[in-house]
Amino acid sequence: MSQQVTTLSGQRSCTSSCGHGLTHGAGSSRAGRRLRYNPGTAMGQKCMEKVSSFLFEYDTPRMVLVRNKKVGLTFRLIQLIVLAYIIGWVFLYEKGYQSQDSIVSSVSVKLKGLTLTNESVMGPHIWDVVDYVFPPQGDNSFVVMTNFIVTPGQKQGNCPELPDAGLCTQDSDCNKGKYSRQGQGLMTGKCVHFNSSVKTCEIFGWCPVEVDDHVPSPALLSEAEKFTLFIKNSITFPRFKVSRRNLVESVTKQYLKKCTYHKVTDSLCPVFDLGYIVKESGQNFTFLAVKGGVVGITIDWNCDLDWPVRYCKPIYQFHGLYNDDSNVSPGFNFRYAKYYKEDGTDKRTLYKVFGIRFDILVNGKAGKFDIIPTMTTIGSGIGIFGV
């Protein structure tokens, strides 16, 4: 009997101690796990969850069907506007399906015509292209002389300055070796008589001095209105290896000999009347010829190379660049001289030239189908349409 109790007690004791041991062991295990916690492992698990959700999950916006006539019509109208913009503006007008290239150009000119003047100083004088075109080689910017003031027989020496530049009453008013902005030479330090009533500073320079306060009107070379201008323009689009001239297929030798440009009847003729150019620029040749001015000539080449190259043709336009509303430094003028020797003395004839300056400007671009801009434009259109 005592043995059974002992055994039972031992079993209970064992059970109790085993249960206690198990409890203690479990607590020790949890404590161990708490001690072994690593924040980096948790962060890695979160990153993996994010990557997994990005790769293997897909979501779509919720679609709402609105049964309303005003809303539906407004939506379709906006879609129609976007579609018209993509097709009409981006594709057709801006040619978004093409790659573009800019122009490389060269221009040369030739003028023809002559006129007669009978000016009091020079007498009868014939003027041809060598006399009235500056520079003579014909560039994309040149001047046609239409009027002039001539001062013949100038030589270096001492003479009175003009009253506008050097009035004086005594020698001390004239600083020796100084130059006045409006003057035509260096002051000698003397105050001398310009005429019976006016005294001016004496200068050392080209004498007699030029007197340019009276500009001939009408212009001495008013016949320049009938002179003709021949423009030769060569262009190339390097990217597409296409070269053209303004002497296009329809301009033959026979046609070139007799044609004169007109914007309606002969729009491809490269020979122009100067009077017509000035008129088309919105200016009056008779008025412009007196004191000079500036005219711009533009040649536009806008070529669609998806079509045959013969359709790539120039368009001429004319622009008045002279503002006649301003009375400050009106017109366009410059000076040049013809030098010669007389009795061993260097002399010159000085010309103050008034003329019309012509500036020729060439603009243009070419386009040709290219799959890359086409796909880019389509993608942009789809994006806009989707929004």
Side-chain angles (χ1 to χ4, degrees), residues 145 181 200 210 220 225 231 245 270 278 295 303 341 380:
M145 179 169 65
R181 179 183 293 183
T200 61
E210 178 191 54
L220 297 175
E225 185 174 6
I231 299 177
R245 299 176 68 198
V278 174
V295 174
C303 301
K341 276 187 179 288
S380 301

Side-chain angles (χ1 to χ4, degrees), residues 33 35-49:
R33 283 199 298 269
L35 290 174
R36 289 193 299 270
Y37 175 75
N38 188 351
T41 304
M43 184 63 71
Q45 290 176 349
K46 288 182 178 180
C47 290
M48 290 298 296
E49 290 175 0

Side-chain angles (χ1 to χ4, degrees), residues 155-344:
K155 63 179 181 179
Q156 293 196 8
N158 295 340
C159 55
E161 181 61 274
L162 292 176
D164 291 342
L167 280 174
C168 64
T169 56
Q170 54 188 358
D171 291 348
S172 59
D173 295 332
C174 306
N175 297 322
K176 185 176 180 179
K178 296 296 182 180
Y179 166 73
S180 171
R181 179 183 293 183
Q182 291 79 27
Q184 300 185 42
L186 297 176
M187 297 181 188
T188 63
K190 296 180 181 180
C191 183
V192 297
H193 286 280
F194 180 78
N195 55 37
S196 59
S197 59
V198 177
K199 297 180 73 176
T200 61
C201 293
E202 183 184 63
I203 61 165
F204 175 74
W206 287 96
C207 299
V209 294
E210 178 191 54
V211 180
D212 63 350
D213 54 357
H214 175 68
V215 180
S217 183
L220 297 175
L221 276 70
S222 58
E223 288 295 309
E225 185 174 6
K226 301 176 183 177
F227 295 170
T228 58
L229 168 66
F230 175 37
I231 299 177
K232 291 196 293 184
N233 177 214
S234 301
I235 61 107
T236 184
F237 298 106
R239 182 174 181 177
F240 304 124
K241 295 180 174 57
V242 172
S243 297
R244 295 286 285 165
R245 299 176 68 198
N246 64 331
L247 304 177
V248 295
E249 290 79 4
S250 60
V251 179
T252 62
K253 287 184 178 180
Q254 291 75 17
Y255 176 74
L256 192 61
K257 289 179 180 179
K258 62 181 181 179
C259 77
T260 303
Y261 176 88
H262 188 279
K263 63 181 179 181
V264 177
T265 59
D266 291 280
S267 61
L268 292 175
C269 179
V271 181
F272 306 82
D273 281 335
L274 297 189
Y276 184 84
I277 292 175
V278 174
K279 179 183 176 182
E280 287 297 307
S281 73
Q283 302 180 92
N284 181 281
F285 191 94
T286 303
F287 174 81
L288 202 65
V290 175
K291 291 189 176 181
V294 183
V295 174
I297 302 173
T298 58
I299 307 175
D300 295 315
W301 296 82
N302 293 311
C303 301
D304 186 349
L305 298 181
D306 292 331
W307 296 88
V309 73
R310 66 176 179 271
Y311 293 109
C312 181
K313 298 177 180 179
I315 297 175
Y316 302 96
Q317 292 181 316
F318 313 100
H319 312 274
L321 307 179
Y322 171 67
N323 181 12
D324 57 2
D325 297 330
S326 175
N327 58 5
V328 179
S329 188
F332 178 86
N333 64 79
F334 63 94
R335 289 174 175 83
Y336 84 100
K338 293 182 178 179
Y339 295 88
Y340 60 95
K341 276 187 179 288
E342 186 177 272
D343 298 330

Side-chain angles (χ1 to χ4, degrees), residues 355-374:
I356 302 175
R357 172 173 169 164
F358 294 90
D359 291 326
I360 302 175
L361 309 173
V362 182
N363 306 307
K365 62 180 180 180
K368 196 171 185 178
F369 175 78
D370 191 336
I371 190 62
I372 294 177
T374 301

